[in-house]
Amino acid sequence: MTLVRAAVLLGPRSLAVQTRPSLVPGPGEVVVRVRAAGLCGTDYRIWTGDRPVGYPLVMGHEFIGEVVAAGEGVDGVAPGQRVAVEPNYSCGGCALCREGNRNLCLGRTAVGIDVDGGFAEEARVPARCCWPAPAAPDDQLLLTEPLAVVVRAVRRGAPARGETAAVVGVGTLGLLAVQVLKARGVRVLGVGRSRRRLDLARALGADLVAAAGGEAGEAARSLSGREGVALAIETAGTAEAVAHAVDLVRPGGCVVLTGLPHEPTPLGFFRVVRRELRLLGSMIYQDEFPEAMELLATGAVRAEPLLTHRFPLDRIPDAFQAHRAPDAVKVALSLDG
Ligand SMILES: [Zn+2]
Ligand SMILES: [Zn+2]
């Protein structure tokens, strides 16, 4: 019997790397040998216990790997294939799924949150979650999942080429949003708190960056030559960032919200009505995985400058500590060693 290692969350801040038998795929499932997995704010909130989950749980929803076993009835992916895993699958049968809104399905299953995920040498997922990976380094494709979130947000905002947009929050999602907007020919203002990350936003193509606060409003007017930018994409998920995004768009503009604010969010709706603003939520992704992979494979979006920390699976507690380090953007686990 082959044994594989998995990082098992036993309770808040309690992670144990355990050895267990190799996974066996059920009908319609595949087993993926994980090559690299990314850690994000959601994992962090699960790790601290802020976000309740059922224990024990193997976290990890951003990962790529190689299919090593396929269950009955699987076609389209086969052992030996390198894949990016789309870590959400819907029920497929409800009204929301039937109308194409599978990201909104109330019966949606999130890999690494509702069921075991990719902080392990092996993960078992439905075959339909696997996208054959294009020829590009693992490190580059590792950001497919967060990039798919951003691609959807930008599609929702639908900025015209030559228009202006502000990205509020310059963590992983924000730094990806800057690049997706630039690839679409949009002029971009990056807004955040960390000087270091604002510098990175600039290096990744932002035309202008500004510290959150008064300075950003002036920057939005100067970049657009108007009353503000046409579009703001909020990626921080804080009440303050939401209000800030609303302040930066001009009358008739659009605000796309991707962060999930976990606190009540006071917002001056006078401004929303008076300026006829459109506020759009954007929840994970529907069909954005292929475009995200394409953007990474062609190099239109660069992942490497965002990957600040790498740890082997055995050092996963250190990875969670590193997530909060001032110089951290994306912390990853490397399992291909
Ligand atoms: Zn995530
Ligand atoms: Zn459904």
Side-chain angles (χ1 to χ4, degrees):
M1 181 170 56
T2 316
L3 296 174
V4 292
R5 291 173 305 148
V8 183
L9 186 69
L10 303 168
R13 295 176 195 265
S14 170
L15 269 170
V17 177
Q18 297 178 351
T19 300
R20 62 187 192 183
S22 189
L23 298 170
V24 177
E29 292 179 333
V30 295
V31 172
V32 175
R33 181 179 296 135
V34 180
R35 293 163 65 120
L39 202 147
C40 80
T42 302
D43 300 306
Y44 192 85
R45 295 187 67 250
I46 293 171
W47 177 69
T48 59
D50 280 351
R51 177 164 178 163
V53 290
Y55 304 111
L57 174 73
V58 177
M59 291 178 282
H61 57 274
E62 302 175 4
F63 60 102
I64 60 160
E66 185 185 319
V67 173
V68 288
E72 206 184 296
V74 170
D75 50 14
V77 282
Q81 200 152 35
R82 197 163 65 110
V83 293
V85 174
E86 179 174 338
N88 284 280
Y89 50 95
S90 57
C91 81
C94 72
L96 289 161
C97 282
R98 288 198 310 272
E99 69 194 16
N101 287 317
R102 60 194 182 96
N103 57 327
L104 308 181
C105 171
L106 301 176
R108 181 169 57 86
T109 302
V111 174
I113 299 172
D114 303 317
V115 296
D116 284 352
F119 291 168
E121 288 177 319
E122 285 185 355
R124 180 171 48 208
V125 296
R128 64 187 160 117
C129 293
C130 292
W131 293 91
D138 288 350
D139 277 358
Q140 184 73 2
L141 296 178
L142 182 55
L143 291 193
T144 303
E145 198 270 349
L147 181 56
V149 171
V150 167
V151 167
R152 178 160 185 80
V154 172
R155 276 190 192 173
R156 302 266 294 150
R161 187 165 280 275
E163 257 303 351
T164 50
V167 172
V168 179
V170 282
T172 298
L173 294 179
L175 293 167
L176 291 171
V178 166
Q179 298 183 76
V180 172
L181 289 161
K182 287 310 295 177
R184 284 185 163 228
V186 175
R187 287 180 298 133
V188 180
L189 165 67
V191 178
R193 294 174 199 258
S194 148
R195 195 66 243 175
R196 191 193 304 257
R197 288 178 183 199
L198 287 175
D199 289 345
L200 188 49
R202 197 88 166 94
L204 290 169
D207 299 272
L208 200 58
V209 294
E215 186 193 315
E218 182 49 44
R221 287 186 290 277
S222 114
L223 181 70
S224 62
R226 298 271 316 258
E227 308 84 353
V229 292
L231 168 67
I233 295 189
E234 190 287 313
T235 66
T238 63
E240 200 182 0
V242 171
H244 208 52
V246 168
D247 280 346
L248 297 176
V249 295
R250 66 177 175 244
C254 175
V255 178
V256 178
L257 308 164
T258 66
L260 285 166
H262 293 280
E263 55 199 341
T265 304
L267 192 63
F269 275 92
F270 181 90
R271 193 180 186 92
V272 174
V273 176
R274 177 67 182 77
R275 296 186 157 211
E276 275 197 352
L277 303 183
R278 285 178 303 132
L279 301 184
L280 300 177
S282 188
M283 181 59 186
I284 57 169
Y285 28 74
Q286 282 181 358
D287 304 307
E288 285 80 7
F289 248 65
E291 185 177 338
M293 283 195 302
E294 175 75 8
L295 286 165
L296 290 165
T298 60
V301 169
R302 293 167 61 205
E304 195 267 330
L306 277 60
L307 288 167
T308 52
H309 296 71
R310 287 183 184 76
F311 295 92
L313 185 64
D314 287 331
R315 288 186 58 205
I316 190 168
D318 295 336
F320 277 89
Q321 297 296 345
H323 177 75
R324 277 302 177 90
D327 61 338
V329 181
K330 177 59 73 181
V331 176
L333 298 171
S334 298
L335 293 106
D336 55 353

